[in-house]
Amino acid sequence: MSGAECEEEVNPTEDEEEEEETVIGLGSYKGKVRMVRGDPSDEMMLLWGLQQPTFSKPNAFVAQSSLNLSLDACGRCLSISQSPSSLGVPGVTGSVMWDSGIVLGKFLENAVETGLLVLQGKKVVELGAGCGLVGCIAALLGSQVILTDMPDRLRLLKKNVEDNLYGDVRGCATVNELTWGDHADSALVEPLPDFVIGSDVIYSEEAVTDLLDTLLELSGTQTTIILSGELRNDAILEYFMEVAMEDFIIGRVDQEGWHPDYKSPRVAMYVMVKKSMP
């Protein structure tokens, strides 16, 4: 057998390498995920190269200057109030909807409909809930949802929950105060949630440590974390990945796994599970 033939047998093909990096199911999500391993800068290069977010239109699914956003989900038309005037306040982004929230909410709906997620009767905690759309959709899909945000963000959040979760709702929703990095209220951790969800929660390096501290406190080995985010700054996302990989297994859900009508190259979605203690 020639040396060239030996080399062909030993080296995996590109298809085999792809199969090694892609798994079916991570945590309670039963769909396909591409595992994030090694140097997180490689993930950033791949993600920005594949999706080229800077060349696509931002806010494809939202109108941030409007006082109200309507979205069909779970058999009803949701009406989400926004506060565009608050958007100019430093650090306040949850007063309006972002594409990543729409994408995550419709992803949950599609994943339940296709059998890739079961949310009926599950405890779900939403971080940085903002206007509350994603948590409302999770409640309509049967979850027992706790929507959380900082104290000054709760008024708008409560209004949207009350306005949209009326009549026959498969699940339920409550609103709790939560500042990342602070100890969580007992209602959030007793018992630990089945799912932790969040959209556009990775937005500054300063918030990464507090966010990960909160994710660790809220997560058991049976907790599945699903995060979506706007692709604005690769350095911040890379830093999050670098720190998160110490305690979590991370997989990216490619757009083929999203709702077919709600895809954006400016958004990424990740599933995370806490590593088991040695």
Side-chain angles (χ1 to χ4, degrees):
M1 184 179 292
S2 70
E5 289 173 332
C6 287
E7 186 175 351
E8 286 182 4
E9 288 190 3
V10 171
N11 293 336
T13 65
E14 290 184 4
D15 289 342
E16 288 171 339
E17 289 178 349
E18 179 72 20
E19 288 178 3
E20 289 176 0
E21 295 174 346
T22 303
V23 301
I24 303 298
L26 182 60
S28 296
Y29 175 62
K30 303 309 179 186
K32 185 187 297 184
V33 295
R34 182 185 178 95
M35 303 307 297
V36 179
R37 299 191 178 99
D39 189 340
S41 65
D42 294 338
E43 167 70 5
M44 297 305 101
M45 291 179 62
L46 177 63
L47 186 60
W48 257 258
L50 286 174
Q51 299 192 191
Q52 298 186 336
T54 56
F55 294 103
S56 61
K57 177 185 175 183
N59 302 328
F61 304 124
V62 300
Q64 295 178 338
S65 60
S66 173
L67 294 174
N68 187 272
L69 181 143
S70 297
L71 181 74
D72 291 330
C74 305
R76 64 174 70 190
C77 181
L78 301 181
S79 179
I80 302 297
S81 296
Q82 302 187 120
S83 178
S85 61
S86 301
L87 193 57
V89 179
V92 177
T93 59
S95 61
V96 296
M97 286 300 307
W98 299 83
D99 280 354
S100 57
I102 304 288
V103 167
L104 179 57
K106 296 299 288 186
F107 165 80
L108 296 178
E109 180 183 21
N110 185 65
V112 168
E113 289 178 351
T114 56
L116 298 179
L117 273 181
V118 176
L119 294 182
Q120 183 66 45
K122 302 299 184 181
K123 180 178 179 179
V124 175
V125 172
E126 182 181 8
L127 300 181
C131 294
L133 171 71
V134 181
C136 286
I137 290 177
L140 292 170
L141 293 169
S143 300
Q144 300 166 4
V145 187
I146 305 176
L147 300 91
T148 69
D149 214 321
M150 298 179 68
D152 60 341
R153 322 275 168 86
L154 298 186
R155 183 176 179 181
L156 180 63
L157 180 55
K158 289 178 179 178
K159 171 178 169 50
N160 281 325
V161 170
E162 292 169 358
D163 288 350
N164 289 282
L165 297 183
Y166 56 85
D168 186 16
V169 177
R170 292 169 57 188
C172 61
T174 57
V175 174
N176 276 39
E177 172 187 330
L178 178 62
T179 300
W180 301 343
D182 292 352
H183 285 297
D185 186 82
S186 60
L188 299 175
V189 295
E190 299 175 4
L192 288 170
D194 300 293
F195 292 90
V196 177
I197 59 177
S199 63
D200 211 27
V201 293
I202 306 168
Y203 53 82
S204 75
E205 285 196 12
E206 293 76 15
V208 163
T209 301
D210 289 339
L211 171 60
L212 285 169
D213 285 346
T214 294
L215 288 173
L216 281 169
E217 185 180 7
L218 294 177
S219 299
T221 54
Q222 303 302 312
T223 303
T224 301
I225 301 167
I226 305 176
L227 303 178
S228 67
E230 308 276 332
L231 294 178
R232 301 187 188 93
N233 188 313
D234 59 338
I236 294 173
L237 182 56
E238 181 180 336
Y239 176 61
F240 173 84
M241 291 289 174
E242 180 181 351
V243 182
M245 288 169 68
E246 297 176 6
D247 297 296
F248 295 94
I249 300 168
I250 305 174
R252 172 163 43 85
V253 182
D254 288 329
Q255 294 198 35
E256 65 185 56
W258 302 4
H259 190 291
D261 297 329
Y262 292 88
K263 300 180 180 182
S264 169
R266 297 183 68 92
V267 175
M269 189 176 310
Y270 291 92
V271 176
M272 301 167 50
V273 294
K274 193 176 186 178
K275 292 180 178 178
S276 301
M277 294 295 291

